[in-house]
Amino acid sequence: MAAFERSRSRIHSSLLTLVLCGAVHLPSWAVEPFKLRDIRVEGLQRTDPGTVFASLPFRIGDTYNDEKGVAALRALFATGLYKDVRIQIDGDAVVVVIEERPIIADVSFVGLKEFDKEALTKSLKDVGIGEGRPFDRALADRAEQELKRQYLTKSFYGAEVTTTITPIERNRVNVAFSVVEGEPAKIADIRILGSKAFSESTLLGLLEQTSSGWLTWYTKTDRYSRAKLNADLETLRSHYQNRGYLEFNVESTQVTISPDKQRIAIAVTVSEGQPYTVAAVKMEGDYLGQEENFRQLIAIKPGEAYQGEAVARTTRAFSDYYGSFGYAFPRVEPRQDIDRATGLVTITLVASPERRAYVRRIQVAGNNKTRDEVIRREFRQFEGAWYDGQRIKASRDRVDRLGFFESVEIDTVEVPGAPDQVDVVLTVKERSTGNITFGAGYSSQTKVTLTGSVRQDNFLGSGRSVEMELNTSSLGRAVVLGMADPYSTEDGVSRRVDLFYRTSKPLSNLGEVYEFASQGGRLTYGVPIAEFDSVFFGLGYERTKITETQGVPNNIFKYAQAFGSSSIAVPLTIGWANDSRDNLLSPIAGSFKRVNLEISPIGDARYGRLNLQYQRFFPLGNKFTLMVNGELGAGDALGGRLYPVFKTFYAGGLGSVRAFEGGSLGPVDNTGARSGGNLKVNFNTELYIPVPGSGKDRTFRLFAFADAGNVWNTESKYEKVGLDSMRASAGIGLSWMSPVGPLRLSWGKPFRSQPQDRIERFQFQIGNSF
């Protein structure tokens, strides 16, 4: 009888396995249902027995049958923890025999160069291969294929990946991926066939992918990518359709690789069609009684060549305008009625507002460090209010202008089952907001000048900034501590506190030992009065001492003789700023305007000081940006006193007139000293050019510049203020918010200068992020 039970147990276990695999149906002589008296689990090494019992569809006292046995096997295999599972019947007891999968002890890579090890380790964890995970050969094979696919995306067509599984003690394994990367395949040739209206060289210049050249070792644009090729084909399509070729089409794309998998040739065949001119623009649909307002948004011009970009810009403008009335998902479709005989096209804009919606919830994602409230307080769209497209765009722009994030994306998501509700999802990618900055310059007079500062713009994710500046050079030293809170009140009133100690010595040719030593502090509040406008009020205290009065420049000696070597000033400030730039780090549109008046009516130093600035960014197409900047500074003495010599303006260097040494422009007295002036004019123009291959990093830009400006002392009868005394320079430069911090360098050449000017053609500043 016992032998029969054992035989029945083995037969039942085999049958259950076959049934689970779908190979056979239960025969008529399967186990008869019985009442369970006991459940045992055998073979466990690491898994808690409770995990097994929780997966079983039966308990002691239940009636056991074959269907429950099959369900138990399915549930246990579905956990992924077990290599094999068997169910045996021992009288009125069920025995679950487990063979556990080995656990992955370590995942390693050999021969890895092109990819970051940590990034690959993380990506493999997402597919189930990672330390502490149950090992599955099928998942390891899938991981190996994924690694190969990753190499293909970077044009490593000869890359080989081998997986080695090494068993170790306690039922564990080490998984090692050995990679032979080889050399990336490079694009040897790109051809565009069928083009007649434009030369092949013109069209090739539009593409992001290129054949190998002298700079492709850095840009890597000669590495083939299917995704980049598709983007290049869309660029070709946009180029043609923006010049009237409405029926342009890519007929075929052929990509061939050499037998050694090192060279790629691409051939694109296009059909241009004929150019079309816009005959008329019509509107159909429901425009909410605002037809004239919608008509003013039309960027398509009858009588001109058809432009796909103008059509897309018009449909976006229509959608945005519908959004300002609460319609989150309007339908705007352009219909083209073409006449091939005449080459004319009539465009009909068919629009429907669909349904109005209100915002149920605003969600913020990606802010691992920055607090939610720092982002949410910039929102102009509120939860529970009607959807407003303009407010949502303004919210996204305000978050972007914080400067805390590499990217800011906003999306509107429908709420399932609620057609009149939407959720707004804002996704950010944080960047390093702390910077340790080092600056340096070199000239034959002052040799090396060093500057440095430590700044944290988003301290502990609170949105506050903390700054410490340390400067040292042959011309002076500075220690500055600054703390700013952009929301010291819930209404957005900002507060900034500055404490400083500075010493400075005007440029001179005679090597005097005097210097200015200033110490003090300032408290400033900013009050927002409009979306982009704020007014500022401040109060400060400054004490400045001239350390030597012998052998100093004439203007400094006269000031010290009249008012003493130590002066106290109590400056009051009032200002206004308007900032509509789309991004603080690398703007491509918008403007910045600033007016600041500083008055010290009491104390030893009595003066007034005015600063004006206007800066504007103009996008030129999809790639170039033009920046123009103008600054005016003017100061005058009050109460019949002399203008303080330590409140003079200086010019020259980065941020001013480049190619001239920092602080070197302005009056030069008979001792050769450059002690600044009370009037400053500065003009800058920069044309930004994205670096090829920089991708979405819009902070990486080349630029060409032209600067002009100077400083004058209007209190001197020998000074002549005029355009003929302006200094000017031009050159090239590079700016980049690099992974190690901000980098800015320039090389320029003066084209308006005087023999006494100090020239510094190469200037740079580099920092470190944290």
Side-chain angles (χ1 to χ4, degrees):
M1 186 65 181
F4 173 76
E5 289 293 342
R6 286 195 297 271
S7 175
R8 188 181 75 157
S9 174
R10 287 194 297 271
I11 293 172
H12 182 67
S13 177
S14 300
L15 284 173
L16 284 178
T17 302
L18 290 173
V19 170
L20 184 63
C21 298
V24 297
H25 297 285
L26 284 172
S28 57
W29 40 267
V31 65
E32 293 292 333
F34 63 91
K35 188 174 183 179
L36 266 175
R37 300 295 183 187
D38 189 23
I39 301 174
R40 300 196 301 273
V41 179
E42 298 180 355
L44 290 181
Q45 297 182 39
R46 291 180 309 274
T47 307
D48 185 90
T51 304
V52 177
F53 286 115
S55 301
L56 298 179
F58 46 77
R59 299 288 181 269
I60 294 176
D62 291 350
T63 299
Y64 176 85
N65 55 37
D66 292 309
E67 288 77 10
K68 290 184 178 181
V70 171
L73 289 175
R74 287 195 180 114
L76 290 169
F77 274 113
T79 64
L81 299 173
Y82 312 116
K83 184 178 180 180
D84 188 28
V85 180
R86 288 175 293 132
I87 292 182
Q88 298 177 355
I89 305 301
D90 185 8
D92 54 3
V94 168
V95 182
V96 182
V97 182
I98 300 291
E99 183 181 352
E100 293 179 322
R101 291 188 185 278
I103 294 297
I104 299 174
D106 180 63
V107 178
S108 61
F109 302 90
V110 179
L112 202 64
K113 299 178 182 177
E114 187 65 22
F115 292 96
D116 179 68
K117 177 183 175 181
E118 292 183 1
L120 281 183
T121 301
K122 183 178 183 301
S123 66
L124 291 184
K125 279 187 177 181
D126 294 338
V127 298
I129 298 296
E131 293 182 13
R133 302 282 184 89
F135 173 73
D136 187 333
R137 182 72 223 192
L139 289 179
D141 292 340
R142 200 168 90 187
E144 181 178 312
Q145 295 304 315
E146 175 62 19
L147 284 176
K148 292 180 180 179
R149 190 190 69 80
Q150 290 289 337
Y151 274 99
L152 290 179
T153 63
K154 290 205 171 187
S155 213
F156 284 82
Y157 289 91
E160 298 179 359
V161 181
T162 304
T163 306
T164 302
I165 311 301
T166 306
I168 60 176
E169 72 280 359
R170 294 188 292 125
N171 196 27
R172 296 181 301 157
V173 296
N174 290 332
V175 181
F177 296 96
S178 300
V179 181
V180 179
E181 292 183 340
E183 294 295 324
K186 297 181 179 179
I187 300 174
D189 184 49
I190 303 179
R191 297 296 311 276
I192 298 179
L193 309 175
S195 58
K196 300 176 182 177
F198 305 98
S199 67
E200 186 178 19
S201 61
T202 298
L203 297 178
L204 289 175
L206 301 173
L207 307 184
E208 182 178 351
Q209 295 188 120
T210 66
S211 55
S212 296
W214 67 275
L215 195 59
T216 52
W217 64 270
Y218 168 72
T219 63
K220 295 182 174 56
T221 54
D222 60 345
R223 295 193 185 184
Y224 170 74
S225 164
R226 183 67 201 182
K228 289 183 178 180
L229 178 58
N230 290 337
D232 284 339
L233 296 180
E234 287 303 313
T235 299
L236 285 178
R237 191 183 311 278
S238 297
H239 178 79
Y240 272 94
Q241 291 192 346
N242 284 330
R243 288 156 181 80
Y245 292 85
L246 177 59
E247 297 177 300
F248 170 83
N249 188 42
V250 177
E251 296 289 336
S252 66
T253 304
Q254 293 182 334
V255 179
T256 57
I257 186 169
S258 62
D260 61 359
K261 299 182 179 180
Q262 294 298 298
R263 295 182 303 279
I264 292 176
I266 302 174
V268 179
T269 304
V270 301
S271 173
E272 295 180 328
Q274 69 179 83
Y276 287 91
T277 301
V278 177
V281 181
K282 299 179 181 179
M283 295 168 55
E284 290 184 5
D286 181 3
Y287 288 94
L288 308 175
Q290 304 286 328
E291 284 80 0
E292 286 305 314
N293 291 334
F294 274 96
R295 195 175 299 278
Q296 293 178 8
L297 300 175
I298 297 176
I300 311 163
K301 308 218 178 275
E304 295 184 359
Y306 174 88
Q307 295 184 30
E309 185 177 317
V311 174
R313 192 162 62 247
T314 300
T315 57
R316 286 197 302 269
F318 276 28
S319 296
D320 291 343
Y321 194 59
Y322 273 120
S324 65
F325 293 97
Y327 296 94
F329 303 102
R331 188 176 71 249
V332 183
E333 298 176 354
R335 187 179 70 226
Q336 295 98 1
D337 299 316
I338 61 176
D339 187 340
R340 294 184 177 86
T342 62
L344 297 176
V345 56
T346 299
I347 300 173
T348 303
L349 299 168
V350 183
S352 172
E354 297 299 300
R355 62 189 183 276
R356 198 177 186 195
Y358 66 89
V359 176
R360 182 188 69 165
R361 185 178 298 119
I362 296 174
Q363 301 174 2
V364 179
N367 55 321
N368 299 320
K369 180 179 68 174
T370 306
R371 301 172 189 173
D372 264 20
E373 64 181 30
V374 173
I375 298 174
R376 290 183 178 275
R377 67 194 183 192
E378 301 298 333
F379 264 78
R380 296 300 176 258
Q381 171 70 57
F382 300 108
E383 294 179 340
W386 287 112
Y387 175 94
D388 190 323
Q390 294 181 352
R391 288 181 177 270
I392 289 177
K393 182 180 182 301
S395 302
R396 182 244 169 242
D397 292 344
R398 288 182 64 89
V399 173
D400 196 15
R401 283 200 300 271
L402 289 173
F404 302 159
F405 311 108
E406 290 184 16
S407 62
V408 180
E409 304 292 338
I410 199 163
D411 194 18
T412 302
V413 181
E414 295 185 67
V415 177
D420 62 340
Q421 298 180 33
V422 296
D423 288 339
V424 175
V425 181
L426 181 86
T427 304
V428 299
K429 182 180 179 182
E430 292 184 312
R431 71 172 185 88
S432 298
T433 55
N435 289 296
I436 302 176
T437 303
F438 300 95
Y442 179 84
S443 71
S444 59
Q445 289 84 3
T446 61
K447 303 304 180 182
V448 177
T449 300
L450 300 176
T451 63
S453 66
V454 179
R455 180 182 179 91
Q456 173 61 263
D457 284 332
N458 188 15
F459 185 67
L460 299 179
S462 65
R464 302 182 182 95
S465 66
V466 178
E467 178 181 5
M468 182 176 70
E469 178 184 351
L470 298 172
N471 290 342
T472 180
S473 73
S474 60
L475 302 178
R477 299 172 300 280
V479 179
V480 181
L481 298 176
M483 294 168 284
D485 185 355
Y487 277 82
S488 64
T489 71
E490 293 183 357
D491 298 328
V493 175
S494 65
R495 180 183 63 232
R496 181 177 180 87
V497 179
D498 292 286
L499 302 174
F500 61 85
Y501 175 80
R502 296 187 181 96
T503 66
S504 62
K505 175 183 176 181
L507 287 172
S508 173
N509 293 332
L510 301 181
E512 296 89 342
V513 295
Y514 75 94
E515 64 181 9
F516 300 135
S518 300
Q519 56 188 336
R522 178 168 298 183
L523 175 64
T524 305
Y525 284 93
V527 181
I529 58 175
E531 181 66 21
F532 301 115
D533 297 78
S534 296
V535 294
F536 298 91
F537 306 93
L539 173 64
Y541 173 85
E542 300 176 9
R543 182 184 180 88
T544 304
K545 183 178 181 180
I546 305 173
T547 59
E548 295 288 342
T549 57
Q550 298 297 321
V552 300
N554 293 335
N555 62 330
I556 297 176
F557 177 78
K558 290 168 60 178
Y559 185 86
Q561 190 177 45
F563 305 107
S565 61
S566 181
S567 297
I568 294 176
V570 184
L572 305 174
T573 57
I574 182 171
W576 163 81
N578 173 282
D579 190 354
S580 61
R581 293 173 295 180
D582 62 338
N583 186 275
L584 293 182
L585 297 177
S586 53
I588 59 176
S591 65
F592 175 72
K593 297 180 278 290
R594 176 175 64 94
V595 177
N596 188 73
L597 176 63
E598 179 181 312
I599 300 176
S600 179
I602 60 176
D604 304 317
R606 301 183 184 183
Y607 63 92
R609 203 166 185 255
L610 177 67
N611 285 277
L612 306 175
Q613 182 181 5
Y614 177 80
Q615 185 181 76
R616 190 173 183 88
F617 294 84
F618 301 90
L620 305 178
N622 295 325
K623 295 184 177 180
F624 303 100
T625 301
L626 177 67
M627 185 277 289
V628 294
N629 179 73
E631 296 178 66
L632 172 66
D636 199 5
L638 300 178
R641 300 185 176 225
L642 293 176
Y643 186 75
V645 291
F646 44 82
K647 285 294 179 179
T648 53
F649 296 98
Y650 294 90
L654 285 173
S656 180
V657 185
R658 284 159 284 198
F660 293 89
E661 187 176 343
S664 66
L665 296 184
V668 182
D669 68 9
N670 54 10
T671 68
R674 292 159 169 82
S675 51
N678 64 335
L679 177 63
K680 181 184 79 168
V681 174
N682 183 62
F683 297 102
N684 310 101
T685 301
E686 295 182 355
L687 178 64
Y688 293 103
I689 307 166
V691 177
S694 59
K696 295 182 179 181
D697 187 357
R698 66 180 189 179
T699 69
F700 197 6
R701 302 190 290 188
L702 296 170
F703 60 85
F705 71 84
D707 298 335
N710 205 355
V711 172
W712 299 270
N713 183 4
T714 61
E715 294 181 343
S716 172
K717 60 182 179 180
Y718 302 106
E719 279 290 314
K720 182 181 178 181
V721 180
L723 294 178
D724 56 342
S725 60
M726 294 275 282
R727 307 296 196 266
S729 64
I732 58 175
L734 181 145
S735 64
W736 183 30
M737 184 59 68
S738 73
V740 298
L743 169 67
R744 188 172 180 86
L745 57 87
S746 69
W747 184 91
K749 182 178 180 181
F751 60 86
R752 290 197 64 174
S753 61
Q754 295 296 327
Q756 71 270 22
D757 291 337
R758 297 189 174 193
I759 307 304
E760 191 177 73
R761 294 190 176 183
F762 178 71
Q763 296 164 326
F764 71 93
Q765 185 181 67
I766 189 170
N768 183 32
S769 296
F770 64 90

